[in-house]
Amino acid sequence: MYSQVNSGSPLGIDGMLVSVEADISLGLPSLSLVGYLSSSVREAGDRVRTALKNAGYGLPPRRITVSLSPADVRKEGAGYDLAIAVALLCSMEILSHEGLEKTILLGELGLDGSVRGIPGVLAVAHFAARQGFERLIVPKCNALEASCIDGIRIFGVESLSEVVGFLAGETELTPTPKDLSQPALQGEVHDIAEIHGQHSMKRGMEIAVAGFHNIILTGAAGSGKSMMAKCLPGLMPAMTYEEQLELTKIYSVAGLLKGGTGLIKHRPFRSPHTNVSAAALLGGGAIPKPGEVSLANSGVLFLDEFPHFGRGVIESLRAPMEDQEVSISRVKASYRFPSRFMLVAARNHCPCGFFPDRSRCRCTEKQIIDYRNRISHPIMDRIDIRIEVCPVDLEDLFGESGEESSATVRARIEEARARQIHRYQGEDFRFNSSVPQRRIQEFIRLGKKEESMLRDVYRQGDLSARGYFKVLRLARTIADLAGEEELKDVHLAEALYFRNAGTGGEGKEEL
C-alpha cells in the first residue's frame, strides 16, 4: 500500500519541503531508501525498523520502498526518521492519512522509539507557516524554538508511541505556547563608566553602535581597546522581532540553540581567536553551516589583535562586509547565510605594542610597516570609524570618575535607533550604515554648504567613492544622536573626523 507524509529540511536559514513516500508490496523482504541521500539518511532504515519494533509495530516481511523527494537535492541528517516511520505506519494501515496533508513531521528516532532533537527546526517551522501548513510535530526539546512562529501549531513529542496515539486520536497533545519571557542579562556585562577618560573612543563607539557602523581602534597596549569592546553588550539597542527570528534561525541551523530555548533576544557578541580559519569565519563544510560572521548577525564581531589574523582570513571579510550575506554554493544547492554584523577591530601601532614610545618600542621600521600593511586599503575603506586611542591620562586614571554609565549612553542610542526604525519602516534595511548607495539621496540630503564642504574634501583625495557615501551614512547617525532630522555641517565635520579624512591616511607618526 502507498502512503505519503510531509517532512522538511533547512536550506541555509530557509526551509525546504521534503515529501516522504512509502510503498509496501509483494516481493522479497527488503527496505530500500531512495532520493539522493547521505549516509546518515540511508542509516535511517535500520533506526526506523528497530524503533518501530521496540514500539510494538514490527514491519511486515514485504518489499518496502521509501522515497524522499525532491530527488535532485541531497538529504542530510537524521531529521526524516519520524516522517519515515509515520509513512510506513500509514502504509501498514495502522494510521490514517486523514489530517496529515497539512502536517509536517520532524525528528530523529532512537532505537527505543524515543524522539530526539535535531538542528534547523525553526527554519522549517517558518517555511511551513508561510506555505500554509497547520501543524508541526517536532521533538519536545525543539518545540519552544518552533513556537516562536505565528500561524502554525507546534506539538512537542518524546516518543514514537506518543506520536501514534496523537495521530490516531487516542491521546491529546497541547500545542506548545509561545515564549513570552523577557530577556535576562547574559554573563558579566562591563559598564562604560569603568573606563576612565578616553572620551573620543567612547564617542566613536556610541556613534558606531547607534548606526551599526564598522569601527577600528588603534592604540598602544593597555589603553582600553579590549575593555571598550567588552562594554558593547551593555550599549547595544534592543532587537526587533524580525532580527530575533533571523538570528535564532541561524543558531538553530548551526545546532547551537540550547534545549528549551525560544527566540534569542540579545544581540550576539562573537570574538573568534586569531587562529580562526576562513571557513570557520565565513561558514562552509560538506554540509554548509554558518560561520562567525553569520553567528554575529545583528550583533558584534570583535576581532582583537586584528593584524594577527591570517591575511586571507582578513581579506575574506570584504564580501560579507559589503553584501551583508554569505553565499555558499554546492553542486545541487546554494546556501545563503545573513551577515549583517558590526565589525569592531582592535590593533596596536606595532608588533610589541609600545610605538610611538621609542624608549620602550624595539620594533624596526620594516616590522612596523609590515605590521600595518597586513590590513589592506580595501578592508580599511570598508571601516566607517577609525579611532586613535591614546594612553590614559594620569589625572583621568586617578581622579574621580564622573563618567557616564552604559545605561545613560544606551538611552541616547535607543532614541537614535527609534528614529532609524521610523525612517526605514517597510524597508529591508534597518540601520543608517545599511542604506543602499542607490537610495542615499532619498534618505540623506545635504544642504549647499554641507555639499560644498564634502566636495572639497573629496577633491583633496582624502575620500574614495565608497568613503564618500560612508561619511554620509555616518553623519546621518550623528544627526540622529543629536535628535535632528536635518543634516548640518557640524554633523558632517564630526563624521569626517572619525573617518580620519583630511589626515592623509595612516602612518603619520615618525618611524
Side-chain angles (χ1 to χ4, degrees):
M1 182 177 174
Y2 168 84
S3 67
Q4 183 270 330
V5 300
N6 300 305
S7 188
S9 172
L11 187 65
I13 67 163
D14 300 315
M16 177 183 69
L17 180 66
V18 175
S19 177
V20 179
E21 301 171 289
D23 182 76
I24 299 178
S25 59
L26 295 175
L28 293 175
S30 64
L31 175 57
S32 301
L33 277 74
V34 297
Y36 195 21
L37 313 176
S38 67
S39 59
S40 60
V41 183
R42 291 189 179 278
E43 292 167 355
D46 292 329
R47 287 195 301 272
V48 171
R49 185 200 301 272
T50 307
L52 285 170
K53 176 181 70 69
N54 289 329
Y57 309 103
L59 291 176
R62 302 286 182 87
R63 178 178 179 83
I64 302 173
T65 305
V66 177
S67 173
L68 278 67
S69 61
D72 61 341
V73 178
R74 185 174 174 83
K75 319 299 185 307
E76 304 280 356
Y80 308 106
D81 290 7
L82 184 59
I84 293 173
V86 171
L88 291 174
L89 289 170
C90 289
S91 291
M92 295 161 58
E93 299 185 334
I94 294 174
L95 291 176
S96 170
H97 294 88
E98 186 178 350
L100 291 178
E101 297 82 3
K102 295 294 184 179
T103 301
I104 286 183
L105 299 110
L106 299 172
E108 176 185 349
L109 288 178
L111 298 185
D112 59 350
S114 60
V115 180
R116 299 173 178 173
I118 58 171
V121 167
L122 182 58
V124 179
H126 192 208
F127 170 82
R130 287 180 295 171
Q131 295 299 313
F133 285 90
E134 299 172 355
R135 294 190 304 184
L136 185 65
I137 299 176
V138 299
K140 194 166 187 177
C141 61
N142 295 127
L144 192 59
E145 65 174 276
S147 68
C148 302
I149 305 299
D150 295 324
I152 188 169
R153 293 177 297 161
I154 309 299
F155 296 93
V157 295
E158 295 182 306
S159 67
L160 180 58
S161 299
E162 189 178 4
V163 176
V164 174
F166 174 60
L167 295 178
E170 298 172 357
T171 59
E172 291 187 4
L173 293 179
T174 303
T176 304
K178 191 171 184 177
D179 177 27
L180 299 176
S181 62
Q182 295 299 316
L185 293 177
Q186 295 179 333
E188 182 182 3
V189 178
H190 293 271
D191 196 293
I192 198 171
E194 300 172 18
I195 301 176
H196 293 250
Q198 302 294 13
H199 301 296
S200 179
M201 178 174 65
K202 291 180 179 179
R203 174 61 176 170
M205 194 64 77
E206 178 182 344
I207 296 169
V209 174
F212 229 62
H213 300 281
N214 299 320
I215 183 172
I216 185 168
L217 308 174
T218 305
S223 55
K225 303 184 299 296
S226 299
M227 181 67 175
M228 183 71 244
K230 293 176 182 178
C231 294
L232 282 172
L235 298 178
M236 300 298 286
M239 298 176 71
T240 63
Y241 171 77
E242 290 76 16
E243 289 175 318
Q244 294 175 11
L245 178 60
E246 185 176 59
L247 179 64
T248 310
K249 285 166 67 176
I250 294 171
Y251 275 71
S252 176
V253 169
L256 297 179
L257 283 184
K258 298 178 181 179
T261 300
L263 286 179
I264 297 175
K265 299 175 182 177
H266 290 277
R267 294 189 184 274
F269 182 89
R270 304 291 298 186
S271 181
H273 192 267
T274 54
N275 64 3
V276 67
S277 66
L281 190 68
L282 300 184
I287 307 173
K289 297 290 184 182
E292 291 292 336
V293 297
S294 297
L295 296 173
N297 190 64
S298 296
V300 174
L301 178 66
F302 177 49
L303 301 183
D304 201 5
E305 304 295 344
F306 196 29
H308 289 291
F309 286 80
R311 182 65 181 265
V313 171
I314 295 174
E315 294 302 315
S316 70
L317 288 170
R318 291 191 191 185
M321 291 172 69
E322 197 74 15
D323 303 333
Q324 298 189 336
E325 74 172 18
V326 175
S327 182
I328 302 173
S329 297
R330 292 292 181 262
V331 176
K332 293 292 185 179
S334 180
Y335 301 80
R336 181 192 63 85
F337 299 113
S339 60
R340 301 184 187 93
F341 60 90
M342 171 184 160
L343 175 66
V344 178
R347 63 174 180 171
N348 300 324
H349 284 297
C350 68
C352 76
F354 289 117
F355 185 83
D357 184 357
R358 275 306 192 179
S359 64
R360 293 192 291 174
C361 177
R362 297 294 181 264
C363 299
T364 65
E365 181 178 339
K366 182 179 185 304
Q367 287 175 322
I368 295 174
I369 292 175
D370 289 345
Y371 178 80
R372 293 182 177 181
N373 286 341
R374 290 182 67 86
I375 312 301
S376 66
H377 174 72
I379 290 293
M380 287 298 295
D381 203 34
R382 286 168 167 81
I383 298 177
D384 308 59
I385 300 175
R386 310 162 188 174
I387 296 180
E388 182 79 15
V389 184
C390 301
V392 183
D393 290 337
L394 186 64
E395 293 183 1
D396 289 330
L397 187 61
F398 288 96
E400 294 184 8
S401 177
E403 304 286 351
E404 285 187 317
S405 67
S406 290
T408 302
V409 178
R410 186 173 62 248
R412 290 197 298 266
I413 292 173
E414 289 281 9
E415 290 178 4
R417 175 71 177 121
R419 294 185 180 94
Q420 294 171 73
I421 291 175
H422 176 73
R423 182 181 302 122
Y424 307 130
Q425 190 172 10
E427 305 291 345
D428 58 355
F429 48 90
R430 301 156 185 160
F431 288 93
N432 290 327
S433 60
S434 302
V435 178
Q437 183 172 315
R438 67 183 184 278
R439 303 188 65 185
I440 287 283
Q441 292 184 344
E442 180 182 344
F443 293 103
I444 306 175
R445 299 181 181 90
L446 293 178
K448 291 184 178 180
K449 180 181 178 180
E450 291 75 23
E451 185 175 344
S452 175
M453 177 182 178
L454 201 53
R455 283 178 180 271
D456 290 342
V457 175
Y458 189 80
R459 289 193 188 100
Q460 294 170 13
D462 294 320
L463 283 177
S464 65
R466 180 187 288 114
Y468 171 84
F469 292 107
K470 283 191 173 294
V471 166
L472 288 176
R473 298 183 182 104
L474 196 57
R476 179 65 268 167
T477 299
I478 294 171
D480 285 338
L481 282 168
E484 299 183 20
E485 193 59 36
E486 184 180 348
L487 203 153
K488 301 178 180 179
D489 58 344
V490 64
H491 308 138
L492 203 57
E494 188 174 12
L496 289 167
Y497 167 77
F498 281 112
R499 179 72 184 177
N500 280 346
T503 64
E506 295 188 293
K508 296 300 289 184
E509 305 92 339
E510 291 295 330
L511 298 179

